[in-house]
Amino acid sequence: MPAKSATRAEKAASARGDTRAKKAASGKKAAPARGKKAASGKEAAPATAEKAASGKEAAPATGKKAASAGKTAPAKRLAPVKRQAPARKPAVAPEKATAAVKGVAPVKTVAAKPPRGESRTALVRRARRIDRELAEVYPYAHPELDFENPFQLVVATVLSAQTTDLRVNQTTPALFAKYPTPEDLAAANPEEVEEILRPTGFFRAKTKSVIGLSKALAEDFGGEVPGRLEDLVRLPGVGRKTAFVVLGNAFGRPGITVDTHFQRLVRRWQWTAETDPDKIEAAVGALFPKSDWTDLSHHVIWHGRRICHARKPACGACPVAPLCPAYGEGETDPEKAKKLLKYEKGGLPGQRLKPPQAYLDAGGKPAPPLGAG
């Protein structure tokens, strides 16, 4: 028993000892394990160092990326600029102005424009200022059709459709010499009238109109041209434009003459965006006192014929350029623009064979008769 118990005790002790020993061993081993961990910490330092080294190596890589990014970034930034650069140029020099004026500095092609949101008051002031400026440039403005009485004026105005006033003035002397009164023209042989009116173009239709209106005057108005709008527009070939020419220049009654020049200029000046003549008449008439309407028509039409032409306006010689939103559509170089001026502004004859004395006193020249070269 003692021996067995001793053996058991030894086994138990050895078991306990082994366990403790194992624990101790594990504890001892744990230290190295911790040491390993510490060592691993130390090794981690190299690892970290490696990472740091890799970081250092990454730095070049990042540098490469940065370098590559640096290379690509400017390309990405510059590419849009290169694409956008042409789009910005028209804001400084409009294409139309630049195309029309080759070799001229952009500063000459751009003028101060009225604001897009121009108020009604500002529009009225600008429109009236333009008219005042034109009145100083054309103080001798007058109807550019030769006439001695209302009958001659209404016939000449009907004939001026689709041709120039100059051509009408060169044609009417022969017509009125042969048919001086409405009664005479009403009884005329159409073929003979057509032969006289041939130079004006559309002579058959015009012959029918002037003979028809002459008959209406002789039968309905006692051979006299009426002085009322509603009566004038009843005559064959006579519309509102012709009626206002007659009323304003033969009877002294204000009216706006909306011809092709007038329509073009008031839209260029942004007085109205209307295209219908009656609506243009109403829109522009609302900007001015009624007493100014006839002279306003002369100023605008004269400016359209002499400076503000349809195809190539002489912007560089225009007295109202600072007030014009369309400045730059034509020639802006002053010297080149002067060569585009017509009639007396260009030193050339006017459109009337017998112009008013005021026009002659201002340096205007009478037009040559038909066939004079």
Side-chain angles (χ1 to χ4, degrees):
M1 287 297 292
K4 290 180 181 178
S5 61
T7 305
R8 291 175 186 166
E10 286 175 3
K11 287 180 180 179
S14 65
R16 284 195 298 270
D18 291 341
T19 304
R20 285 174 186 167
K22 287 177 183 178
K23 286 182 180 179
S26 65
K28 287 178 183 177
K29 288 176 184 177
R34 286 178 193 150
K36 285 180 183 177
K37 287 181 182 177
S40 66
K42 289 179 184 177
E43 289 171 2
T48 307
E50 286 174 9
K51 289 180 182 177
S54 66
K56 288 179 184 177
E57 291 174 359
T62 308
K64 288 178 183 177
K65 290 180 181 178
S68 62
K71 290 178 183 178
T72 54
K76 288 181 180 177
R77 288 180 191 136
L78 291 176
V81 175
K82 290 179 181 178
R83 288 195 296 269
Q84 291 176 0
R88 290 175 186 167
K89 290 180 181 178
V92 179
E95 293 179 2
K96 289 183 180 179
T98 308
V101 191
K102 294 181 180 178
V104 178
V107 70
K108 292 184 179 180
T109 66
V110 179
K113 295 184 179 181
R116 291 181 180 178
E118 186 177 38
S119 67
R120 176 72 178 180
T121 301
L123 171 60
V124 170
R125 289 176 178 173
R126 183 168 62 88
R128 294 185 181 184
R129 184 179 171 188
I130 288 176
D131 185 43
R132 289 195 300 271
E133 296 283 347
L134 296 181
E136 293 181 6
V137 177
Y138 311 108
Y140 44 78
H142 56 269
E144 296 192 89
L145 290 168
D146 281 325
F147 70 98
E148 296 177 357
N149 54 56
F151 170 63
Q152 291 186 0
L153 180 58
V154 71
V155 170
T157 307
V158 170
L159 296 178
S160 67
Q162 305 297 321
T163 189
T164 64
D165 287 355
L166 172 58
R167 180 61 67 190
V168 174
N169 292 336
Q170 293 173 329
T171 305
T172 51
L175 180 69
F176 296 139
K178 191 168 185 177
Y179 311 106
T181 68
E183 291 82 2
D184 294 329
L185 190 52
N189 183 339
E191 293 182 358
E192 294 179 0
V193 176
E194 286 178 3
E195 192 59 32
I196 295 174
L197 301 183
R198 187 180 292 274
T200 66
F202 303 97
F203 56 92
R204 291 188 179 87
K206 291 180 180 180
T207 295
K208 185 177 179 180
S209 293
V210 297
I211 291 179
L213 75 85
S214 297
K215 287 181 178 179
L217 290 175
E219 295 173 2
D220 301 335
F221 299 99
E224 298 292 332
V225 176
R228 297 195 312 164
L229 176 64
E230 54 269 31
D231 293 331
L232 285 169
V233 295
R234 289 169 49 195
L235 300 174
V238 177
R240 289 179 68 87
K241 182 191 83 169
T242 299
F244 280 127
V245 170
V246 175
L247 290 173
N249 298 287
F251 294 98
R253 297 178 183 175
I256 294 178
T257 305
V258 186
D259 73 345
T260 55
H261 301 288
F262 193 95
Q263 293 182 49
R264 180 178 72 253
L265 267 62
V266 298
R267 285 198 295 270
R268 276 182 177 170
W269 293 332
Q270 293 183 8
W271 289 3
T272 180
E274 299 290 349
T275 56
D276 179 75
D278 292 348
K279 292 181 179 179
I280 291 174
E281 176 197 327
V284 175
L287 302 176
F288 296 88
K290 193 173 182 178
S291 57
D292 292 349
W293 287 358
T294 301
D295 287 339
L296 169 69
S297 300
H298 292 325
H299 298 153
V300 175
I301 293 171
W302 274 56
H303 190 59
R305 285 174 172 167
R306 285 152 178 77
I307 296 178
C308 194
H309 312 136
R311 294 184 180 178
K312 198 170 185 181
C315 294
C318 180
V320 296
L323 302 170
C324 180
Y327 177 82
E329 287 187 6
E331 183 61 76
T332 57
D333 181 85
E335 294 302 319
K336 293 179 180 179
K338 286 181 182 178
K339 298 178 181 179
L340 300 175
L341 302 182
K342 294 183 179 180
Y343 304 112
E344 78 283 350
K345 291 301 177 184
L348 306 173
Q351 299 199 72
R352 291 189 65 166
L353 278 67
K354 298 178 180 179
Q357 190 60 43
Y359 175 72
L360 297 174
D361 293 342
K365 300 177 182 178
L370 186 64

